[in-house]
């Protein structure tokens, strides 16, 4: 096992990794930017290293500074969290070349899967259904037009290097497609440094279902069932839950087994997630693989009883996966609500500022993962998510009732949060009656 791990991230995931390390008896070193100097979780780290000013491109995204921090803090491994450098294969390579284990997959696997259009090809090769679309990256607008006419509108243009719901554009006809092609490429170039785009048929009102995987360095891969992340706003997840509603046992099993096949074919190791869209008829199609831990991992931890972050660390340290597929249970129902510092009344605009009061809920079945405290300021420089409320109960009805009760108990003052919007959704009759698809929130709650 490692002696000391550097956590190359911030916020709630930094705290989540600190907690896992302490339970494993591993020391931690945490990097921070000047904006996070007073972040409460830093007190729990064995060492802390300032890596620069607030701007992420001058701190959390600086590979050289993170490697220097690893040297100074004398660590033997680096946990990248999610976001920032977590899916950057050059960063992973640099860590390993500098003598620090990267807690994640191999560089080769990251390269194979990090490019979304290459990952599609890989899934196809494994016999996993993919959304109809282009074979690889689009060479030209003319090629996009010809494929779109062949498979039929509407279509999506998606950035090959994309993530976080960015670099995706919808097109209903030739004119819109020309614009979508330009815009997606432009956004991709700016946000991801690469303009490559590919094309997918737009599946109308699908659900987003993803399978969690754990894989060791010896070819063993297990899935930890699925999560439904259809409750999204602007292609960004707001509420996630498991098990996915109205998914037949057969589809659920097939979808999870497909994920295992892809991981095996890619020589994937550590924790990862395979994402799918599921159409109205229950057909599932691969959309991408996230080669990192995900924000919503706690719902899986709740129903399986498996600590995903501890496993990430143990697998990176070379331990064998002792879980067999038949040991992975799925007990009850779990739901996660993302608490974001944003104003639901002003189109969910980020709403940074000083938190004057923060009293999170507790009680049976309630977990709150957060880095925020009263007196702490939410920085405008980073993601607006300040915490995650996770509820685990025996049944869906109990779980929803507990989530509503917990959100009602929640007291935050000084900043606006997504809590009122979350409550509106969970209390609604539509949520009780419908099986939400990815357009559900925007259709019913964004007027
Ligand atoms: P997931 O599929 O896990 O929800 P996304 O594709 O939305 O992940 O990408 C991860 C998101 O997390 C990004 O939107 C990024 O801005 C955000 N993020 C990165 N680091 C942090 C952090 N420390 N705290 C909160 N959010 C973060
Ligand atoms: P990112 O890498 O930004 O996470 P994804 O490819 O995972 O992008 O897609 C993000 C979201 O966009 C999905 O969760 C889903 O809501 C929607 N989406 C993606 N592909 C399609 C598709 N082919 N048809 C309909 N919706 C899609
Ligand atoms: Mg995705």
């Amino acid at each position: 096992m490692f002696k000391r791990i550097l956590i190359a991230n911030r916020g709630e995931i930094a705290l989540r990794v600190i907690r896992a390390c302490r339970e494993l008896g591993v020391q931690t070193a945490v990097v921070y930017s000047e904006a996070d100097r007073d972040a409460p979780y830093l007190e729990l780290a064995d060492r802390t290293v300032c890596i620069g000013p607030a701007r992420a491109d001058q701190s959390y995204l600086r590979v050289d500074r993170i490697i220097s921090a690893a040297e100074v803090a004398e660590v033997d491994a680096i946990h990248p969290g999610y976001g920032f450098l977590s899916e950057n294969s050059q960063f992973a390579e640099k860590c390993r070349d500098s003598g620090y284990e990267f807690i994640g997959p191999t560089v080769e696997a990251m390269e194979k899967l990090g490019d979304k259009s290459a990952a599609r090809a890989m899934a196809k090769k494994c016999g996993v259904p993919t959304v109809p679309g282009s074979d690889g990256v689009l060479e030209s607008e003319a090629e996009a037009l010809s494929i779109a006419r062949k498979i039929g509108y509407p279509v999506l243009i998606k950035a090959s290097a994309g993530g976080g719901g960015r670099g995706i554009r919808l097109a209903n006809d030739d004119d819109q497609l020309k614009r979508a092609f330009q815009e997606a490429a432009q956004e991709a170039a700016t946000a991801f440094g690469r303009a490559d785009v590919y094309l997918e048929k737009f599946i109308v009102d699908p659900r987003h279902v993803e399978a969690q995987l754990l894989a060791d360095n010896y070819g063993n891969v297990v899935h930890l069932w699925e999560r439904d992340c259809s409750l999204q706003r602007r292609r960004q997840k707001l509420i996630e839950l498991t098990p996915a509603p109205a998914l037949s046992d057969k589809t659920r099993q097939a979808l999870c087994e497909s994920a295992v096949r892809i991981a095996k074919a890619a020589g994937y190791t550590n924790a990862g997630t395979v994402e799918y869209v599921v159409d109205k008829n229950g057909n599932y199609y691969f959309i991408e693989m996230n080669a990192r831990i995900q924000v919503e991992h706690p719902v899986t931890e709740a129903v399986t009883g498996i600590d995903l972050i501890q496993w990430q660390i143990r697998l990176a340290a070379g331990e064998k996966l002792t879980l067999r597929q038949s040991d992975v249970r799925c007990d009850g129902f779990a739901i996660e609500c993302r608490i974001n510092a944003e104003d639901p009344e002003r189109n969910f605009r980020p709403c940074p500022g000083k938190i004057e009061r923060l009293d999170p809920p507790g009680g049976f079945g309630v977990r709150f993962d957060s880095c925020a405290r009263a007196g702490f300021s939410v920085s405008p420089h980073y993601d607006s998510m300040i915490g995650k409320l996770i509820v685990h109960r025996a049944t869906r009805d109990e779980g929803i009732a507990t989530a509503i009760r917990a959100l009602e108990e929640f007291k935050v003052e000084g900043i606006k949060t997504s809590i009122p919007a979350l409550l509106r959704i969970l209390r609604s009759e539509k949520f009780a009656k419908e099986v939400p698809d990815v357009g559900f929130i925007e259709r019913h709650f964004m007027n």
Side-chain angles (χ1 to χ4, degrees):
M1 183 43 72
F2 304 118
K3 193 170 157 285
R4 189 179 302 128
I5 289 174
L6 183 82
I7 300 169
N9 211 302
R10 64 176 301 280
E12 72 85 21
I13 193 66
L15 176 56
R16 176 71 188 87
V17 180
I18 293 174
R19 286 174 168 157
C21 287
R22 290 174 70 106
E23 289 164 4
L24 287 170
V26 174
Q27 289 192 17
T28 54
V30 183
V31 303
Y32 65 94
S33 73
E34 282 164 15
D36 286 327
R37 186 177 293 284
D38 298 320
Y41 56 88
L42 295 177
E43 279 173 19
L44 296 172
D46 296 289
R47 300 191 183 189
T48 59
V49 187
C50 183
I51 48 165
R55 281 181 51 171
D57 62 357
Q58 292 176 31
S59 51
Y60 297 106
L61 290 169
R62 284 283 295 266
V63 174
D64 55 339
R65 295 199 178 160
I66 288 170
I67 298 294
S68 301
E71 276 162 27
V72 170
E74 299 176 290
V75 300
D76 34 28
I78 300 181
H79 195 301
Y82 52 70
F84 297 127
L85 295 168
S86 60
E87 291 184 276
N88 183 321
S89 60
Q90 282 160 9
F91 175 59
E93 189 162 30
K94 183 79 187 152
C95 291
R96 295 208 178 100
D97 286 351
S98 310
Y100 308 112
E101 186 51 41
F102 175 79
I103 301 178
T106 62
V107 171
E108 296 70 38
M110 284 173 92
E111 279 170 355
K112 268 186 207 153
L113 297 164
D115 180 291
K116 291 170 72 177
S117 94
R120 260 166 70 77
M122 168 111 222
K124 225 177 189 169
K125 224 174 65 197
C126 299
V128 174
T130 53
V131 186
S134 58
D135 283 326
V137 165
L138 293 167
E139 299 296 339
S140 64
E141 189 181 279
E143 188 192 357
L145 287 166
S146 124
I147 297 171
R149 286 177 192 147
K150 201 166 85 209
I151 63 174
Y153 286 101
V155 299
L156 290 178
I157 300 289
K158 299 171 83 171
S160 235
R166 285 184 301 168
I168 302 180
R169 290 288 184 284
L170 174 67
N172 289 298
D173 55 42
D174 286 3
D175 280 346
Q176 287 183 5
L177 181 61
K178 289 179 196 162
R179 208 171 330 128
F181 183 79
Q182 298 302 334
E183 284 179 11
Q186 183 62 49
E187 186 172 331
T190 317
F192 312 112
R194 211 146 54 78
D196 293 347
V197 293
Y198 62 103
L199 186 147
E200 269 182 7
K201 185 159 181 70
F202 179 67
I203 308 289
V204 178
D205 301 335
R207 290 188 278 150
H208 173 118
V209 180
E210 58 188 31
Q212 175 70 52
L213 298 173
L214 282 178
D216 68 16
N217 301 345
Y218 315 99
N220 302 301
V221 185
V222 295
H223 69 74
L224 279 69
W225 301 107
E226 84 290 1
R227 298 183 283 260
D228 187 309
C229 313
S230 302
L231 292 155
Q232 307 180 347
R233 193 189 146 263
R234 295 204 179 149
R235 302 200 172 90
Q236 286 171 357
K237 300 163 186 171
L238 198 59
I239 300 174
E240 303 97 340
L241 45 89
T242 186
L247 197 64
S248 74
D249 277 350
K250 197 169 141 237
T251 305
R252 186 182 188 218
Q253 196 81 38
L255 180 152
C256 292
E257 281 165 9
S258 296
V260 171
R261 273 211 309 280
I262 293 170
K264 285 192 170 160
Y268 193 84
T269 51
N270 215 274
T273 299
V274 178
E275 297 189 332
Y276 302 88
V277 284
V278 179
D279 73 13
K280 291 277 178 241
N281 302 318
N283 301 308
Y284 64 91
Y285 306 92
F286 170 90
I287 51 171
E288 67 159 339
M289 176 152 189
N290 288 330
R292 57 174 164 85
I293 195 70
Q294 275 184 300
V295 174
E296 57 273 22
H297 75 274
V299 294
T300 297
E301 296 185 322
V303 296
T304 61
I306 294 168
D307 187 319
L308 282 165
I309 307 289
Q310 282 194 8
W311 267 111
Q312 280 198 293
I313 296 167
R314 292 169 61 183
L315 293 168
E319 280 189 32
K320 242 175 120 171
L321 203 54
T322 48
L323 302 160
R324 279 166 310 176
Q325 189 61 63
S326 54
D327 298 335
V328 183
R329 52 177 216 272
C330 179
D331 287 339
F333 168 85
I335 182 166
E336 172 182 277
C337 296
R338 297 195 191 195
I339 314 293
N340 299 329
E342 57 192 24
D343 189 349
E345 274 161 31
R346 294 173 133 198
N347 201 23
F348 290 83
R349 196 184 315 160
C351 184
K354 189 169 174 199
I355 303 174
E356 302 292 349
R357 177 181 178 199
L358 186 104
D359 289 322
F364 187 19
V366 175
R367 163 177 172 184
F368 182 54
D369 274 24
S370 169
C371 61
R373 297 268 178 81
F376 178 77
S377 282
V378 180
S379 168
H381 290 98
Y382 313 115
D383 196 90
S384 61
M385 193 184 74
I386 58 161
K388 311 182 298 201
L389 177 75
I390 304 108
V391 165
H392 180 215
R393 296 298 303 253
T395 65
R396 181 183 166 96
D397 286 351
E398 287 171 293
I400 306 295
T402 301
I404 292 171
R405 182 275 290 168
L407 288 165
E408 286 169 348
E409 254 179 49
F410 217 128
K411 292 289 176 283
V412 187
E413 286 168 18
I415 55 162
K416 300 267 195 215
T417 73
S418 49
I419 293 173
L422 293 164
L423 271 172
R424 224 155 54 89
I425 295 162
L426 295 185
R427 282 183 186 140
S428 69
E429 203 167 307
K430 294 212 160 62
F431 181 69
K433 288 199 174 134
E434 288 179 27
V435 177
D437 59 62
V438 300
F440 179 86
I441 290 185
E442 286 183 24
R443 259 198 323 276
H444 300 311
F445 298 92
M446 291 297 134
N447 33 39

